[in-house]
Structures are given as structure tokens and as C-alpha cells.
Amino acid sequence: MSASFLPADWPFVVLDWSLFIAQLFLGLAMACAAYRLILGPRAQDRVLGLDTFYVNAMLLLLTYGIRVASTIYFEVALIIGLLGFTGTVALSKFLMRGEVIE
Amino acid sequence: MIDIELAFENLPPWAALLTAFCVFMGAFLTLTGSVGLLRLKTFYERVHAPTLGSTLGTGFILVGSMICFSVLRGRLSVHEILIAVFLTITTPVGFMLLVRSALYRDRVEGNDNVPEGNPTPGKQSAPDAAVQQD
Amino acid sequence: MRRFMAHLLPYPLLSLAILIMWLLLNQSVSPGQVVFGSLLALGGAWGMTTLGQETPRIRRPLTILWLGVIVFVDIVRSNIAVAKIIFRPGSRRGTPGFMAVKLDMRNPYGLAALAIVITSTPGTIWTNFSSASGILLIHVLDLQDEAEWVDTIKNRYERRLMEIFE
């Protein structure tokens, strides 16, 4: 299976790099969401950014859990996911009332 | 830093490659969705972008996690399904409420190209290119 | 006996879902967890009765499975389509817009399922539904052929959901 020019443990090197790149990607994705969260331009854009930020943070935590081969982070990811939903619903409902028209 | 080789030494090579593929694809799709949040021009276009991360992006990473932990522990690890089920139910509800409140705000502010209260099917609605440029 | 069962288990599917959720969270099927999860399931369903919702009648398990496969394929396809739109330069990005569809379905559970299907497919979002006129408003990212979207919603999703819920 392994060619002579590859080290014997090459699948693990691939996994190591893939997890590293995935964490980098998710970090960048969180930065994109943070841009919308901070700069808007409108209130609904900020709420959208916050929701995306939550989902990306949840995925980053899951990826970190795989990287350290531990399932402790699973429950935390679950709670982050559910809190993100609650936040989005509450903020949308708040915008719907029309009390924060800029 | 945590020693990766130590944690994964019991993983067979095929499972390592499969996990690597799933996690990479999931992260790539999530990044694509978040980049769309930056690149698309109006709010109503931007709402579509994060759905990428919350459907297939999450799905890939959860499948990767299931493969990795099922093989590592030698028994089926299926509690990732919980996150998938919760996310598929909650994300649409959140986005629906958000779009509805955005529509309400656009109507109150009197912006153009937002459909009126009673739309009729068949009539092509105006493309919302000019709703709110940033 | 039937009335007694309906009283004890007003929402059997909800109870089953709560039990499965509990067992998945604890990652065990030991007798103690099963008993505790069952108590939780009974209590949860009993709490739901105070909301006074009618019990959904769900039929045709094969149609449910087939609909699940269709939705999964559509999610994969529209993920690729939306990713292409995002990476395209701004001038050639197509026309997003709202469109209205007339629905025949009135069952609230069926409508909820349709809302989740439409919104979790990237590229379409359920915006508003008027139960008086039966007109649904959705926003589409790539609104090139409105008739095709109407066909997808009515013949691919709504027809099957009506078979399942009505």
C-alpha cells in the first residue's frame, strides 16, 4: 500500500494536516461571521453573523475533539448549537417588534 | 501541544483517511458559506450562504467524528446524530424568523422591491437588487 | 383499553423520540437508563397535552423514506449550486428574488415539515405563509425559471407530504 518514497505512517500525516487545515478554515469562517456581526450594516445582518458564528464555533469544537481524540467536547458543542438557536430566535423576535428601527 | 500520534495510534489507516476527508470537506463547505456572507450583496442573498455550513458542512464533520470514535473505541458511536437532528430542526426555524423580521422592517421603512402583503402566484416578483446595498 | 392507552401515551412518537434522545445522550441501554428515559418520555408527552395539539396521523413509512432520500439528494445538489454562485464574480451572479406559490396542503404538521425541507435546502428560504389564501412566499437565490421552482415544491415535496400527513 505504501510506496517507498512515502513514510509508513502517511495516513496519519494526512489526518494530522487535514485536521490542522480544517481548524484554520473554521477559524477563518468565524472571522467572516465576526465581520458581519461587528460591521453589519443592518441589525438583521448582525443577527445572521451571530448565528453563523455559533455554528462555526460548534464545528471548531467538534474538530478539536477529534484532534485530541476525546468526546468531552461533544456536550459542549451540543449546548453551543442550542444556545445559538435560542439567541437567533430571541433577537429575531426583538427585531420583529419594530422597536429597534434604526 | 497534544501528541497526535499517541492519540490515533489505534486507528487503522483507512479510518484515518476517511476521517481526514470528511473533516476537510466539512470545514471547506463551512468556510464557503461564511465567505458568501462577505461576498453577496444584499441581506436576502446573504441568508442563503450559512445554510451550507449548517447542512452538509456539519454533516461531513459529524460523519468524520462518528467514523473516528466508532473505530477508536470499537463500538458504535452514534450520539452525533443528536446534533444533526437538533440542527436540522432549529436552523430553519431561526432563519425563517430572521427573514420574516427583516421583511417586516423593510416594509416599515418603505424600501423598494419588497413584496407587498398579499403576493399573487405566477407574477414574477421584482429581483431585489436594490433592497439595501452596503 | 384503547382510551386508557390514549390517556397514558397521548403522543407515542414524541415519547419514543424523547426516550431515544435520552439513551443517545447517555450512550447506554442499561435497564436503569431505559426506565428513567421512559419516565421522562411519559412525563414529556403528558406535559404536551396541556398545549392541546391534535395528534398527527402519519402514514406510508416508505414515502417518508423516499422523501428523505430526495431531500438529501436535493441538499447535496443545491450545496454545490450555492457554492458555485458564491465563488462566481459579482456581475454574473444571477437574479435573486421573492416568488409566490399556491399550496393545497392545510395540515399544520405537513406545512411545518415543508418549511423545514425548503429552508434547509440551500438557495431557498420559506418566508411567509398565509393560511387564509394558502399562498406561500419564498425567497430564491437563483430565480431563473420560476415555473421549475413551483414544480419542485408542488410535485417533489408537497404531494408526498400530503400523502404522509393527510
Side-chain angles (χ1 to χ4, degrees), chain C residues 81-139:
Chain C
V82 171
K84 273 183 187 160
I85 288 177
I86 287 173
F87 285 127
R88 219 180 277 166
S91 51
R92 295 188 289 115
R93 212 171 264 158
T95 48
F98 290 95
M99 59 175 275
V101 187
K102 180 108 172 64
L103 291 185
D104 300 316
M105 188 160 55
R106 285 297 178 274
N107 184 297
Y109 295 102
L111 287 171
L114 184 63
I116 288 179
V117 166
I118 287 180
T119 312
S120 55
T121 315
T124 47
I125 278 197
W126 172 291
T127 311
N128 211 346
F129 178 70
S130 145
S131 50
S133 56
I135 289 174
L136 160 72
L137 186 69
I138 62 173
H139 187 268

Side-chain angles (χ1 to χ4, degrees), chain B residues 39 47-48 55 124-125 128, chain C residues 86 88 98 120 125 139 146:
Chain B
R39 280 176 60 91
V47 191
H48 297 288
T55 53
Q124 173 96 21
S125 321
D128 53 9
Chain C
I86 287 173
R88 219 180 277 166
F98 290 95
S120 55
I125 278 197
H139 187 268
E146 193 168 327

Side-chain angles (χ1 to χ4, degrees), chain A residues 11-78:
Chain A
F12 296 97
V13 178
V14 169
L15 178 59
D16 197 6
W17 273 98
S18 146
L19 284 170
F20 174 70
I21 293 171
Q23 281 182 311
L24 204 69
F25 277 5
L26 290 170
L28 278 175
M30 281 174 83
C32 294
Y35 174 89
R36 277 284 164 237
L37 175 62
I38 295 166
L39 292 176
R42 305 180 75 205
Q44 47 264 48
D45 286 301
R46 293 172 202 264
V47 179
L48 185 63
L50 183 69
D51 190 74
T52 317
F53 195 79
Y54 265 114
V55 173
N56 292 347
M58 186 194 81
L59 293 179
L60 188 57
L61 214 59
L62 280 174
T63 317
Y64 186 72
I66 298 177
R67 194 178 167 136
V68 298
S70 146
T71 48
I72 303 172
Y73 300 96
F74 172 81
E75 271 84 6
V76 189
L78 193 65

